[in-house]
Amino acid sequence: MLSDGFHNVPAGKIAMVVTDLEMRVPQLRDVACPDGVRFEQINPDVAQYRDLFTRVGQDWLWFGRSVISEAALAEIITDPLVHIYTLTKDDNAEALLELDFRKNGECELAYFGVTAPLIGTGAGAYLMDRAIELAFLSGIDRFHLHTCSIDSPAALGFYRRSGFIPVRRSIEVADDPRLKHGYDRALAPHVPIIEG
């Protein structure tokens, strides 16, 4: 059990407050698809997936899919119980929606986000409606996700407005990907680099 008070995070690491959220009954906002945008399921190879993952998440230091081996990532994204979707604009994939049905009766919203050209267009709310529809069409009892304090400052509020309810909070400590995994040091200026 973590005691009250301050706890030092080692140099070269980042600490995140992780909030787990869930939805038990689908709640749709009926948001229209933005003009010039198309929703589609995709079957990317590892390179295509990593490109999209990076373009959507690098500003928020997403690293979970970047630090695993190509073989491990391929195993995940080719699993028939993992479904990947995007929003395309001008024939470019500009969003990542990854639904993980590998746990019976549940769906995890494993990754969700849009690239900079779609931020503020309503594309995120439209994509979330599709995520909720697809998750509950499969007959699940629980749709869940986690977000953290280094993600977009708008993320937690967006998930709550979408109908997800916070159910648990934890602290995650990990290697700072800007130091350990070659991420651009200018990324995520809201999370200062602490070097040893």
Side-chain angles (χ1 to χ4, degrees), residues 11-90:
K13 301 280 188 177
I14 52 174
M16 300 151 278
V17 177
V18 178
T19 303
D20 295 330
L21 302 99
E22 69 178 18
M23 179 185 292
R24 298 282 183 166
V25 176
Q27 299 181 43
L28 301 173
R29 293 194 273 180
D30 296 320
V31 177
C33 185
D35 290 339
V37 172
R38 187 175 70 249
F39 174 74
E40 62 182 284
Q41 186 168 11
I42 57 174
N43 296 300
D45 62 28
V46 168
Q48 293 166 329
Y49 181 96
R50 282 200 166 138
D51 171 69
L52 184 56
F53 180 88
T54 299
R55 289 188 297 114
V56 170
Q58 71 180 355
D59 288 342
W60 316 114
L61 295 184
W62 287 12
F63 59 88
R65 296 290 195 249
S66 298
V67 299
I68 61 175
S69 71
E70 285 193 17
L73 179 55
E75 185 176 339
I76 294 167
I77 66 176
T78 61
D79 190 303
L81 296 177
V82 174
H83 304 172
I84 302 170
Y85 302 87
T86 194
L87 297 174
T88 57
K89 183 174 176 65
D90 300 325

Side-chain angles (χ1 to χ4, degrees), residues 119-191:
I119 292 174
T121 67
Y126 172 78
L127 186 63
M128 181 56 75
D129 271 358
R130 303 296 70 75
I132 294 167
E133 281 179 339
L134 290 164
F136 283 98
L137 273 174
S138 69
I140 61 164
D141 298 315
R142 178 175 180 255
F143 189 27
H144 64 100
L145 65 96
H146 62 266
T147 189
C148 72
S149 56
I150 67 170
D151 203 353
S152 166
L156 183 57
F158 172 81
Y159 292 133
R160 293 183 77 185
R161 286 190 306 278
S162 298
F164 288 90
I165 298 168
V167 293
R168 182 175 46 249
R169 189 174 295 123
S170 56
I171 303 292
E172 178 182 4
V173 176
D175 288 327
D176 188 325
R178 295 165 296 185
L179 298 175
K180 179 77 174 182
H181 302 293
Y183 278 45
D184 185 336
R185 293 173 67 96
L187 292 173
H190 63 292
V191 182

